[in-house]
Amino acid sequence: MIQDILKKQKLNREDIIYLLSVTGEDEKTLFRHAAQIKEKTVGNTVYLRGLIEMSNVCAKDCLYCGIRKSNPNTNRYTLDENEILSAIRFAHENRYGSVAIQSGELNSPAFIHKVDNMLRQAKEITHNEIGITLSCGEQTEETYRRWFNSGAHRYLLRIESSDELLYYRIHPRDRNHSYDIRVEALKTLRKIGYQVGTGVMIGLPFQTVEHLADDLIFMRTLDIDMCGMGPYIEHKETPLYESREELLSIQERFRLTLHMIAILRIMMPDINIAATTALQAIDKLGREKAIQVGANVLMPNITPGKYRDNYSLYENKPCTNENADDCKSCINIRVQMVNHEVGYAGWGDSKRFEKRKFNLSH
Ligand code: 5AD
Ligand code: FES
């Protein structure tokens, strides 16, 4: 019985597998329970992270990703410093509280320096007010530290799949795409003092509900502060497209993602969970639905409009032809539509992180 499972203090693997598969009334019960837990712990405030897609130049070759190095049909771009800073200024002026800066993965000294410089300037022009999440892939401990000292305080690094075998079915098996290094990177980020976020893709070829249950347990074991996870959406110009016959329907991937979000909210009530853009690519109200079942962070895209088409990780990416201003007016409406309110100005740190910090200092 679903009620018996939902009463438990700690869900085990079988419970999670069961919850991932519920339908009909039981599914409604799951979603309602997750919504109640959210209301009680993080409340009905949705925090904004203005998403800046800094560059789609990438040194890696993930088998699912549209901006992988070996895709010759991507128009590569890199925002210059002024473009990045004006997006940051926009977020600050509109009281977004935080920005999330995402990029293809590069490890060159020039790239590291550019990010570092950008961080310092972002802090300076916003009088230290803007919160900054970085999502720039795997870097050395030294680089992570350098960026932390320059003002980044949250870092997102998706594990993509916590199952090592599945990981190597969706990444080339080489030193540049090592599962162990990725897990180690997450631990290093935590050690340095970042709020750490991870996440997975849902509905990958060869992925089972057991894998997904293990992904959630991986997040709990790592005691993450934030999570961003979304449905896998096949991209024609990637090697994984060949395995499209293996896929669940796009609607099933969408539903499974809502289940993952709801279950994670139940397992880790006080973390931040993003309603990701990939959900919106499938359903116009995808992110709102995610908010209703447990998500509490929205990442409106504030990349200068002319570049958006080129950051195509997957197909049908939404809002690629808008300006940030267009999005601004619809955010409030969207959030209010599902009876939530936007948390303007504050950094919106995860409650989980605040508690951990408190425990460490007492
Ligand atoms: N479908 C869905 N998500 C994808 N990502 C990359 N490619 C795809 C895809 N085809 C996600 C990865 C990555 C994030 C930036 O985008 O999880 O970490
Ligand atoms: Fe760029 Fe995966 S293809 S990090």
Side-chain angles (χ1 to χ4, degrees):
M1 277 273 288
I2 184 160
Q3 268 82 9
D4 298 327
I5 295 180
L6 295 179
K7 267 188 223 133
K8 288 189 172 183
Q9 275 295 330
K10 190 172 181 181
L11 301 180
N12 64 31
R13 189 168 186 258
E14 281 64 45
D15 300 330
I16 299 169
I17 292 170
Y18 183 91
L19 293 176
L20 281 169
S21 320
V22 291
T23 56
E25 275 308 306
D26 282 356
E27 180 180 62
K28 286 194 192 133
T29 307
L30 167 68
F31 289 165
R32 215 179 309 120
H33 186 74
Q36 280 163 1
I37 291 203
K38 184 179 118 172
E39 172 93 47
K40 264 192 275 172
T41 48
V42 295
N44 65 351
T45 305
V46 172
Y47 293 101
L48 304 180
R49 319 277 183 240
L51 176 64
I52 305 172
E53 294 160 335
M54 189 167 69
S55 171
N56 66 355
V57 181
C58 189
K60 289 178 91 166
D61 244 338
C62 305
L63 302 179
Y64 46 83
C65 185
I67 65 167
R68 65 198 300 270
K69 179 172 104 197
S70 304
N71 181 3
N73 297 324
T74 299
N75 284 323
R76 304 288 167 174
Y77 74 88
T78 300
L79 300 186
D80 66 31
E81 209 171 272
N82 280 336
E83 289 169 319
I84 302 171
L85 291 176
S86 68
I88 291 172
R89 214 173 275 120
F90 170 88
H92 186 236
E93 281 165 5
N94 287 285
R95 301 168 58 236
Y96 275 24
S98 293
V99 290
I101 297 168
Q102 212 179 72
S103 172
E105 191 176 311
L106 293 175
N107 308 107
S108 65
F111 178 78
I112 294 164
H113 176 75
K114 179 176 171 168
V115 173
D116 194 52
N117 208 24
M118 179 269 299
L119 291 167
R120 287 168 193 277
Q121 295 205 48
K123 287 289 172 177
E124 199 177 308
I125 62 170
T126 66
H127 319 293
N128 222 14
E129 280 172 6
I130 201 85
I132 303 178
T133 307
L134 279 184
S135 185
C136 298
E138 291 160 34
Q139 304 288 341
T140 61
E141 177 167 345
E142 186 195 347
T143 300
Y144 283 152
R145 271 191 200 284
R146 185 166 160 197
W147 290 345
F148 185 75
N149 291 335
S150 299
H153 65 123
R154 295 191 276 246
Y155 206 101
L156 283 176
L157 185 71
R158 289 191 182 179
I159 189 70
E160 315 295 0
S161 169
S162 65
D163 181 90
E164 191 168 350
L165 283 179
L166 181 55
Y167 189 90
Y168 285 120
R169 292 186 86 165
I170 62 170
H171 296 97
R173 195 181 264 280
D174 61 26
R175 282 197 53 211
N176 210 13
H177 300 82
S178 154
Y179 175 83
D180 289 337
I181 291 178
R182 201 155 183 92
V183 175
E184 220 26 64
L186 284 166
K187 295 184 178 159
T188 304
L189 288 163
R190 162 59 50 75
K191 185 175 76 182
I192 294 170
Y194 282 97
Q195 293 174 51
V196 179
T198 192
V200 295
M201 282 176 289
I202 298 155
L204 287 162
F206 324 116
Q207 191 181 44
T208 62
V209 281
E210 285 78 9
H211 286 135
L212 291 170
D214 289 338
D215 287 339
L216 293 174
I217 292 169
F218 175 87
M219 295 181 206
R220 181 170 67 191
T221 308
L222 218 63
D223 194 20
I224 56 166
D225 303 297
M226 335 177 273
C227 176
M229 54 188 169
Y232 164 68
I233 303 173
E234 64 273 32
H235 189 299
K236 274 200 196 70
E237 279 149 358
T238 63
L240 209 60
Y241 193 68
E242 279 169 26
S243 308
R244 62 189 178 283
E245 306 285 301
E246 307 284 329
L247 295 172
L248 295 171
S249 75
I250 198 87
Q251 278 73 26
E252 281 171 298
R253 280 176 257 165
F254 180 83
R255 243 193 73 228
L256 207 45
T257 304
L258 293 186
H259 282 225
M260 287 285 283
I261 291 175
I263 300 168
L264 183 62
R265 176 58 70 199
I266 296 168
M267 292 170 69
M268 305 188 75
D270 52 2
I271 65 169
N272 278 346
I273 303 179
T276 53
T277 318
L279 280 163
Q280 196 191 357
I282 298 180
D283 180 332
K284 282 203 169 61
L285 293 178
R287 293 180 307 175
E288 290 73 11
K289 290 179 182 169
I291 289 170
Q292 282 178 302
V293 303
N296 68 329
V297 168
L298 261 186
M299 300 168 73
N301 197 336
I302 59 167
T303 309
K306 64 177 172 176
Y307 298 110
R308 292 214 203 153
D309 260 344
N310 298 325
Y311 204 85
S312 52
L313 306 170
Y314 43 83
E315 281 156 21
N316 291 326
K317 210 166 154 254
C319 286
T320 52
N321 51 15
E322 289 178 63
N323 286 316
D325 288 290
D326 298 329
C327 283
K328 193 172 67 182
S329 53
C330 82
I331 292 168
N332 273 321
I333 300 169
R334 284 171 173 271
V335 168
Q336 282 162 12
M337 187 167 71
V338 286
N339 298 318
H340 281 64
E341 59 176 29
V342 177
Y344 284 109
W347 281 6
D349 285 344
S350 93
K351 290 215 160 62
R352 177 94 219 123
F353 183 75
E354 286 166 15
K355 273 189 211 154
R356 185 179 315 104
K357 227 171 42 185
F358 180 82
N359 290 342
L360 284 177
S361 62
H362 284 78

